[in-house]
């Protein structure tokens, strides 16, 4: 009971006062619930995390694939996208290098990973 309360109050603070049941429950009363939430935590911290992070470098190493890094909004109407506009929208070398470095670091395997 105390473990569930601790996780509910500290790990998911945005959901603490939400009566709709989103987030982690305040208490776990059934063994099946304990299994379900432990499975969710293990899955999120391992398989899902790997699936999301390890493919990032392949996608974002090519800077134009990183729209969060553009200096201008993408055109919304046909004919507005000229070569000059798109080149001006691309990030600076420094910004692009930083973004690629961060994504590279996030997509690396841990040196002490068990295989």
């Amino acid at each position: 009971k105390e473990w569930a309360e601790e996780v509910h109050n500290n790990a998911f603070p945005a959901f603490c006062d939400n009566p709709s049941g989103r987030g982690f429950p305040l208490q776990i009363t059934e063994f099946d619930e304990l299994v379900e939430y432990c499975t969710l935590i293990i899955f999120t911290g391992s398989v899902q995390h790997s699936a999301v992070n390890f493919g990032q470098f392949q996608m974002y190493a090519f800077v134009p694939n990183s729209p969060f890094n553009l200096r201008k909004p993408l055109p919304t109407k046909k004919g507005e996208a000229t070569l000059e506009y798109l080149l001006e929208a691309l990030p600076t070398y420094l910004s692009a290098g930083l973004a690629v470095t961060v994504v590279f670091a996030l997509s690396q395997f841990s040196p002490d990973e068990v295989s």
Side-chain angles (χ1 to χ4, degrees):
K1 177 185 175 197
E2 291 157 4
W3 175 75
E5 190 174 328
E6 175 76 18
V7 172
H8 178 274
N9 292 336
N10 297 313
F12 299 97
F15 301 128
C16 285
D17 298 323
N18 189 336
S20 71
R22 291 186 62 196
F24 204 85
L26 189 55
Q27 68 182 73
I28 296 174
T29 57
E30 301 290 326
F31 181 75
D32 290 344
E33 284 182 299
L34 178 62
V35 170
E36 179 182 344
Y37 285 106
C38 286
T39 303
L40 176 67
I41 291 169
I42 292 167
F43 175 80
T44 303
S46 60
V47 178
Q48 185 179 25
H49 180 75
S50 297
V52 170
N53 283 328
F54 294 146
Q56 287 183 15
F57 186 70
Q58 286 78 8
M59 179 65 181
Y60 293 113
F62 181 61
V63 175
N65 282 345
S66 308
F68 61 86
N69 207 13
L70 294 177
R71 293 185 290 164
K72 288 184 170 187
L74 292 173
T76 57
K77 296 180 183 160
K78 191 173 183 175
E80 288 182 347
T82 64
L83 179 59
E84 182 180 337
Y85 184 88
L86 293 175
L87 289 175
E88 289 172 2
L90 289 174
T92 64
Y93 290 119
L94 179 63
S95 180
L98 181 61
V100 170
T101 301
V102 168
V103 171
F104 178 78
L106 289 173
S107 65
Q108 295 302 300
F109 291 95
S110 175
D112 61 349
E113 186 170 324
V114 178
S115 55

